[in-house]
Amino acid sequence: MKKIFALLALAGVANLSAAADVVGDAKAARAKVEMCIGCHGIPGYKATFPEIYQVPMLGGQSAKYIESALKAYQKGERKHPTMQGIAASLSEQDIADVAAYYAQQK
C-alpha cells in the first residue's frame, strides 16, 4: 500500500514539473491558429450561436489571459459551446503556442 501512495505522489510531482516546462512557441502556432482566424481575425465580427455577441480580437492580448481563457473553456467554466469544443482539442503545448502567437500580435 505504501508503494502505491509513493508511486501516486511521484506521478503527481512528475506531472507538475511537466506542466511547468510548457513554453509557448509563436512560430509553432501558425499551423494551430487557422481555426481561430475564422472568427477572431475579422474586425467587427459578430457570432450568432448560441446568441449574438461581438467576437473579441485576440491579437495583443496577454499570453496569460489567453491561456487562462482556453483552460476555462476546457474545464467548462466558460460556457460557449464552440469554444469549449475547440479548447477540448488543444494540448497544454497547443494552448501555450497559441497564447504566445496572439500575445505578440498588435
Side-chain angles (χ1 to χ4, degrees):
M1 190 66 146
K2 289 181 183 180
K3 288 182 182 180
I4 292 174
F5 287 123
L7 287 173
L8 289 174
L10 182 60
V13 170
N15 199 15
L16 287 175
S17 66
D21 294 337
V22 177
V23 176
D25 180 356
K27 289 181 183 177
R30 288 187 180 143
K32 300 173 186 178
V33 298
E34 293 170 351
M35 65 186 150
C36 309
I37 294 170
C39 296
H40 294 282
I42 303 170
Y45 182 71
K46 293 182 181 177
T48 59
F49 180 80
E51 58 190 47
I52 297 175
Y53 69 96
Q54 186 76 28
V55 176
M57 297 300 288
L58 298 178
Q61 296 281 1
S62 76
K64 186 173 182 173
Y65 171 77
I66 293 171
E67 287 181 25
S68 175
L70 288 171
K71 289 176 183 178
Y73 282 118
Q74 282 183 330
K75 295 175 185 173
E77 295 169 356
R78 286 190 174 207
K79 301 294 183 190
H80 191 275
T82 303
M83 284 303 304
Q84 286 176 327
I86 290 169
S89 74
L90 300 175
S91 69
E92 289 286 323
Q93 186 65 58
D94 293 337
I95 289 173
D97 293 347
V98 168
Y101 177 86
Y102 280 111
Q104 76 174 10
Q105 304 293 307
K106 297 295 173 199

